[in-house]
Amino acid sequence: ITGTDLPKILGLTKYGNALSVWLDKRGELDDDAGEAALWGQILEDPVAQEWARRHNTEVKDVGVMAHVEAPWMRASLDRLVIDCPDDEDTRLMCGLEVKTRSAFKSKVFRSEIPDDVLAQTTWGLMVTGLHHMHVAVLIGGQELRSFRVDRDPKVEDYLLEAAAPVWAAVQDGVPPEAHPDSEGVLLALLNQMYEHRAGDRELDPGKAQPWIT
């Protein structure tokens, strides 16, 4: 379970839910990241390097890391900050999460980061043991904003309580519950899984009940 899975498990994003995470971990779901994710990957390094320049430090790639005591907990930090600009005395390492968002999301990142980004960065802190992480957000392709996320035991407990059952379900092969939602996440997932389904079908009421259940 990685940081990007947590917003889906918690129902904080329209791009997936607990069931889609379960399917993905079992290799039963095709990856369809979309255009926005593609540009996010392309712009990740320029945003990270500009953030580092403004804070007079250096960043580097680190790849996927696993929690030393719970290897199923994984994190793929966008960048590791070699000398944190907030710790002038000790210059300890910290993490950097990079986001690119449209101008329509400007208000969401006005004073603090939204819950989905908080969940992802906090999970990264849990896995790596880092003290804090910075978030660099490019708004509308022309404005860079920076935030800081510190460790919070209550938030960490909340994330672990939500993620552990999903990982257990992956191992057991029993799908987690996924309820219909206002954002249409479940419907979108089913459309992706059963792209060539026949459509409506009439069933005897007695036979229909198990399907409804």
Side-chain angles (χ1 to χ4, degrees):
I1 303 294
T2 65
T4 54
D5 296 323
L6 266 297
K8 300 175 184 178
I9 292 173
L10 296 171
L12 299 175
T13 176
K14 64 180 181 180
Y15 298 109
N17 57 16
L19 179 58
S20 62
V21 171
W22 182 83
L23 290 165
D24 177 53
K25 302 309 172 185
R26 293 180 59 80
E28 300 177 19
L29 187 65
D30 293 331
D31 184 19
D32 184 17
E35 188 82 0
L38 172 63
W39 282 104
Q41 294 174 358
I42 294 174
L43 295 173
E44 180 180 296
D45 190 60
V47 173
Q49 295 300 330
E50 176 58 19
W51 182 91
R53 186 192 69 80
R54 294 188 184 189
H55 292 84
N56 192 30
T57 186
E58 297 181 8
V59 295
K60 70 174 184 178
D61 297 328
V62 290
V64 180
M65 292 176 284
H67 190 285
V68 65
E69 296 178 356
W72 64 272
M73 298 173 60
R74 304 287 175 92
S76 179
L77 299 187
D78 287 338
R79 295 295 184 276
L80 188 66
V81 183
I82 305 305
D83 294 315
C84 180
D86 288 356
D87 297 316
E88 296 183 358
D89 295 333
T90 57
R91 304 294 283 182
L92 296 175
M93 290 190 297
C94 61
L96 176 66
E97 181 69 25
V98 176
K99 298 295 182 186
T100 55
R101 294 291 186 267
S102 72
F104 297 107
K105 297 292 185 179
S106 177
K107 292 183 179 180
V108 178
F109 287 91
R110 176 163 294 175
S111 59
E112 58 186 17
I113 60 174
D115 288 344
D116 60 328
V117 180
L118 176 62
Q120 182 178 351
T121 52
T122 299
W123 188 260
L125 293 174
M126 294 170 62
V127 171
T128 61
L130 292 172
H131 180 265
H132 67 273
M133 192 177 303
H134 295 274
V135 180
V137 186
L138 181 64
I139 302 292
Q142 58 187 14
E143 180 186 357
L144 184 62
R145 298 180 185 177
S146 183
F147 304 87
R148 170 171 166 157
V149 178
D150 291 275
R151 299 197 64 166
D152 186 326
K154 291 184 179 179
V155 176
E156 293 181 5
D157 289 344
Y158 176 71
L159 298 183
L160 189 59
E161 184 178 344
V166 176
W167 178 246
V170 171
Q171 294 180 302
D172 295 340
V174 179
E177 287 189 53
H179 302 286
D181 55 273
S182 59
E183 294 288 340
V185 176
L186 180 57
L187 179 59
L189 174 61
L190 294 174
N191 285 339
Q192 181 180 351
M193 293 171 58
Y194 304 106
E195 182 180 359
H196 303 293
R197 64 191 183 283
D200 294 339
R201 183 170 301 181
E202 293 185 8
L203 295 175
D204 176 85
K207 296 180 179 180
Q209 190 56 46
W211 288 96
I212 294 174
T213 303

